[in-house]
Amino acid sequence: MTKILLVSATPDLEAFLAAASNGFLPFRYDQLPDTAGPVLEQLAGLPFPDVIVLDGVADPARAIALAASLTDPDPMINIIMISDQEAELALAALRAGVRDIVAPTVEPDELRAVIERATHTARYAAQASDGQQPIAHQVNGRVITVVSPKGGVGKTTIATNLAVGIAARFPRSTVLVDLDIQFGDVGSALDLEPEYFLPDMVQGQAQRDPMALKTILTEHSTGLYVICAPDSPVDADSISGEDVAQLLQMLASEFRYVVVDTAPGLSEHTLAALDQTSDLILVSSMEVPGVRGLRKELDTLDQLKLLNECRQVVINLAEPRGLLSIADIEATIKTSVDHQLPRSKAATDAVNQGVPLLQSGVRDPLTKQLRALVANVLANSETPPPSFPPESDQTPRVRPRRAASRWSRTKKLVAG
């Protein structure tokens, strides 16, 4: 059973926490202490908690001071702060060692998920400190990766609209990652001017601390979080496939949906993303080179065992009187086409304006089909996988990283 300690000077927080947990130990104070001494004295002789839920409502300044005092001797203590001043306290709380800030108005399920993630982190750290093999990280959210063998097929348009459409249903629970690390233009498609870029997410404190990572994400007006490609193609050299895998694992442990836009083809970074992917969107146009490339990509991913069951084939820029019919395409790629997105001038205007169609709500046949794609993706993910495996006497084997070896195998397959 998860051991939770509530340190509070606000009586209402006990009922708030009770709705999201099966039990906890309440330490109630008239005024929240600003040092760890009183809390540690009460804990004497008791098992140390997996998670400390800290009252940041009554006196945020004292709560941050207490968090710093608790984490100073042991930075691995998992502290969740309850506060309605998330934006104002984020940086100070991060420096004090707080893992996450939760508003006192969130639904019990959301608070429960935050506690579960913190518990998993505590168990992982405890096993590592005991010299045991840690429990393999289990993805909580769904990673939806959009790929195509060729450029110029509207992949970024699809990825941005998909992310905006999901964020409309799950604001602040969806993040979009631009993995076209040399020439990605997700930022332009969403009219963003980010302060931080992909390299900032895989370096320094953000690489290890979800709280630090969340404070440097770019927030879109729709409630979507965005990680933009490097500002300069030169910076792409600093990002490895392992960096990508670790970033997506961390994002999936913090967000319900992670949408990934990739570069054309199967680069090391795309393969690393595919190794973390739960839902795959394969995109092509109706042109002969694009369809042939899609067939080759499907065959390659099948050989690499990266062709997810939750996958959808999308034909973009579809024209009913084109050289190829949908039947021709399905015969070539040996699988069905799930969505046809018609060619649309509105899409070009949306890209130029930096306002996705699913944000503007422009009435257009393409908008209707994009909504259908979003609905289909959400329908496939109604039951997300658990945030961590059930307790067991046996420690599961850590899943090995395979991005580099798969990239080598892919080069041989493509060359052959």
Side-chain angles (χ1 to χ4, degrees):
M1 179 179 174
T2 303
K3 298 185 288 292
I4 303 171
L5 170 65
L6 172 64
V7 180
S8 171
T10 305
D12 293 345
L13 290 187
E14 292 188 25
F16 173 69
L17 183 57
S21 67
N22 294 324
F24 58 91
L25 177 64
F27 281 7
R28 195 179 305 109
Y29 301 91
D30 293 333
Q31 184 182 44
L32 204 68
D34 57 4
T35 64
V39 177
L40 296 179
E41 286 179 12
Q42 280 192 263
L43 274 173
L46 298 173
F48 202 83
D50 296 318
V51 179
I52 297 177
V53 179
L54 187 57
D55 176 8
V57 176
D59 192 333
R62 295 183 74 87
I64 288 175
L66 175 56
S69 181
L70 286 166
T71 59
D72 184 48
D74 184 2
M76 300 309 296
I77 292 176
N78 282 273
I79 298 178
I80 297 170
M81 183 179 292
I82 308 299
S83 174
D84 53 6
Q85 302 179 44
E86 180 180 358
E88 297 88 342
L89 298 178
L91 185 57
L94 169 64
R95 290 171 175 168
V98 174
R99 187 184 190 279
D100 213 334
I101 301 178
V102 178
T105 55
V106 300
E107 294 296 324
D109 285 348
E110 184 174 345
L111 177 58
R112 187 178 301 112
V114 172
I115 292 172
E116 287 179 351
R117 289 195 294 267
T119 302
H120 176 62
T121 300
R123 291 172 180 167
Y124 187 100
Q127 286 191 324
S129 64
D130 291 342
Q132 302 177 33
Q133 190 178 28
I135 296 174
H137 182 88
Q138 297 293 310
V139 174
N140 183 50
R142 299 192 70 93
V143 179
I144 305 163
T145 303
V146 185
V147 300
S148 68
K150 304 286 184 181
V153 299
K155 178 172 46 57
T156 296
T157 296
I158 292 171
T160 52
N161 276 280
L162 180 61
V164 165
I166 295 174
R169 242 312 287 264
F170 301 99
R172 299 176 69 85
S173 295
T174 308
V175 60
L176 171 62
V177 184
D178 190 348
L179 270 192
D180 189 346
I181 63 173
Q182 288 189 319
F183 302 107
D185 54 6
V186 161
S188 174
L190 293 171
D191 194 25
L192 294 172
E193 294 184 3
E195 183 178 354
Y196 300 97
F197 298 86
L198 182 59
D200 301 306
M201 312 294 164
V202 297
Q203 299 170 0
Q205 184 71 9
Q207 186 181 25
R208 302 180 296 274
D209 190 333
M211 185 78 174
L213 176 65
K214 291 169 80 171
T215 60
I216 61 175
L217 297 175
T218 301
E219 186 170 1
H220 188 248
S221 59
T222 59
L224 170 70
Y225 288 104
V226 183
I227 297 177
C228 293
D231 197 27
S232 168
V234 176
D235 296 335
D237 294 337
S238 65
I239 303 170
S240 69
E242 288 194 356
D243 289 335
V244 169
Q246 183 174 343
L247 173 65
L248 294 181
Q249 288 174 1
M250 187 180 295
L251 290 172
S253 73
E254 298 293 325
F255 291 91
R256 188 165 183 171
Y257 293 97
V258 182
V259 181
V260 183
D261 186 24
T262 60
L266 293 175
S267 68
E268 175 187 1
H269 306 94
T270 298
L271 286 170
L274 289 171
D275 206 22
Q276 307 298 324
T277 295
S278 57
D279 300 75
L280 180 60
I281 311 292
L282 299 120
V283 182
S284 177
S285 64
M286 296 188 74
E287 298 173 350
V288 171
V291 175
R292 286 179 174 170
L294 179 57
R295 181 190 64 187
K296 193 171 187 179
E297 185 170 52
L298 284 164
D299 290 343
T300 302
L301 294 178
D302 187 37
Q303 292 182 55
L304 294 173
K305 301 188 185 305
L306 288 174
L307 200 55
N308 298 45
E309 290 185 7
C310 289
R311 63 176 183 269
Q312 298 183 61
V313 174
V314 177
I315 298 299
N316 194 25
L317 309 173
E319 295 178 302
R321 299 180 181 179
L323 177 64
L324 296 179
S325 68
I326 294 298
D328 293 331
I329 294 172
E330 291 179 333
T332 301
I333 64 177
K334 301 177 183 177
T335 190
S336 60
V337 170
D338 300 288
H339 294 275
Q340 302 175 46
L341 306 183
R343 188 181 294 274
S344 169
K345 182 180 180 301
T348 304
D349 294 341
V351 170
N352 291 335
Q353 295 167 4
V355 182
L357 290 173
L358 291 189
Q359 179 186 359
S360 66
V362 170
R363 297 176 66 88
D364 186 86
L366 177 56
T367 306
K368 181 178 180 180
Q369 293 304 317
L370 286 169
R371 287 200 182 102
L373 174 61
V374 171
N376 207 338
V377 169
L378 292 176
N380 288 337
S381 59
E382 288 180 349
T383 307
S387 56
F388 56 87
E391 295 185 44
S392 170
D393 294 335
Q394 296 182 346
T395 302
R397 179 175 58 86
V398 175
R399 187 182 186 185
R401 298 188 183 277
R402 295 172 290 179
S405 60
R406 282 186 170 173
W407 173 229
S408 302
R409 290 170 58 194
T410 300
K411 287 193 292 185
K412 295 178 181 178
L413 287 166
V414 172

